[in-house]
Amino acid sequence: MSVDMMMVCNGRALVPATEHDYAIMRQTYRIGQVIKTETKRQADRSLQHHRLYFGGLIGLVKDYWEPQTGLVHPAEVRTAASFCHYLQSKGIALSPEQSQALQQDYLQRLTQKRAAKLINPMPASTAEIHRWIKIECGYYDVVRLPDGTIEKKAKSISFAKMTQAEFNEFYRAAFGVCWRFVLSRHFECEADAENAINRMLDMAA
């Protein structure tokens, strides 16, 4: 297990650097338990930027996360598009805008119907959203398992694994993923979402 810690101002305690690290510690150890650790000085990187990702961006995504993601298979998306082409081949005139609207309406109805059957879906955790973001950003290694199947193993973005320049690039990609899949349905523009992220950090300070 690897977590990032920081020394607090009195110099007598180490505390989790982010909410993500805090969650890992709470899940692994009980309060008052004595643990042995090995410390390692990390590369200079902005802790505030690290918090912006875990406490701001992921925190905002958690607020707007909908348990409907993944309820429609990509093959069904392709089928909906093929059906619109089929209608056009039968002489039913559809503009590109009408075809797109028809596909979206069908897929949305299909998604809502399936989501309605979910009983008390569990909200996604910070760790689950974090892994999803890294996979969608392409920040993973491909591992072949003994049974021949392929698994995507998300890489670490810890202070030891990334420079500040690399983290800047990762954050831009992560924000793009969150905007496309979640935040664009709730904010008028990216600037509004970024302002909401900063407000979350201000409230947590």
Side-chain angles (χ1 to χ4, degrees):
M1 181 188 72
S2 175
V3 296
D4 293 315
M5 309 288 286
M6 66 177 180
M7 182 74 75
V8 294
C9 59
N10 63 16
R12 298 187 62 183
L14 289 171
V15 299
T18 67
E19 287 298 319
H20 176 62
D21 298 309
Y22 173 76
I24 294 176
M25 294 291 289
R26 284 299 303 271
Q27 291 171 3
T28 308
Y29 305 110
R30 66 178 185 275
I31 295 176
Q33 180 179 357
V34 177
I35 60 175
K36 182 179 180 180
T37 65
E38 293 183 6
T39 60
K40 180 179 179 181
R41 183 180 178 87
Q42 306 290 13
D44 290 333
R45 211 172 87 186
S46 170
L47 179 60
Q48 182 66 13
H49 201 180
H50 202 68
R51 287 173 171 166
L52 187 69
Y53 172 70
F54 281 105
L57 180 60
I58 290 184
L60 190 63
V61 169
K62 285 178 69 175
D63 283 347
Y64 291 104
W65 187 271
E66 298 174 4
Q68 298 182 9
T69 304
L71 296 184
V72 174
H73 194 275
E76 294 174 311
V77 178
R78 294 192 293 270
T79 299
S82 296
F83 183 69
C84 286
H85 292 312
Y86 171 77
L87 292 178
Q88 292 173 327
S89 70
K90 294 297 182 181
I92 300 176
L94 291 174
S95 66
E97 293 77 14
Q98 290 173 322
S99 177
Q100 186 68 23
L102 190 62
Q103 294 173 49
Q104 291 180 350
D105 181 66
Y106 168 75
L107 295 172
Q108 183 177 8
R109 288 173 181 269
L110 183 61
T111 299
Q112 291 173 346
K113 182 178 179 180
R114 291 175 178 174
K117 296 180 180 180
L118 294 177
I119 301 175
N120 297 324
M122 292 293 292
S125 67
T126 297
E128 290 167 338
I129 294 176
H130 176 45
R131 181 182 182 280
W132 169 75
I133 289 173
K134 289 192 288 186
I135 296 298
E136 289 296 334
C137 286
Y139 199 74
Y140 60 84
D141 292 319
V142 175
V143 179
R144 184 178 295 277
L145 301 179
D147 63 359
T149 59
I150 300 297
E151 180 179 296
K152 296 177 181 178
K153 184 178 180 181
K155 297 181 180 179
S156 171
I157 67 164
S158 70
F159 283 63
K161 298 294 185 180
M162 265 190 178
T163 65
Q164 182 61 44
E166 290 170 333
F167 185 78
N168 291 341
E169 183 177 344
F170 170 77
Y171 184 86
R172 286 193 296 269
F175 181 88
V177 166
C178 295
W179 173 257
R180 290 195 305 274
F181 286 97
V182 180
L183 301 180
S184 61
R185 298 197 295 268
H186 305 280
F187 293 91
E188 290 292 331
C189 62
E190 294 183 10
D192 288 346
E194 291 172 345
N195 289 335
I197 290 171
N198 291 324
R199 286 196 300 271
M200 290 192 70
L201 284 187
D202 291 340
M203 288 187 292

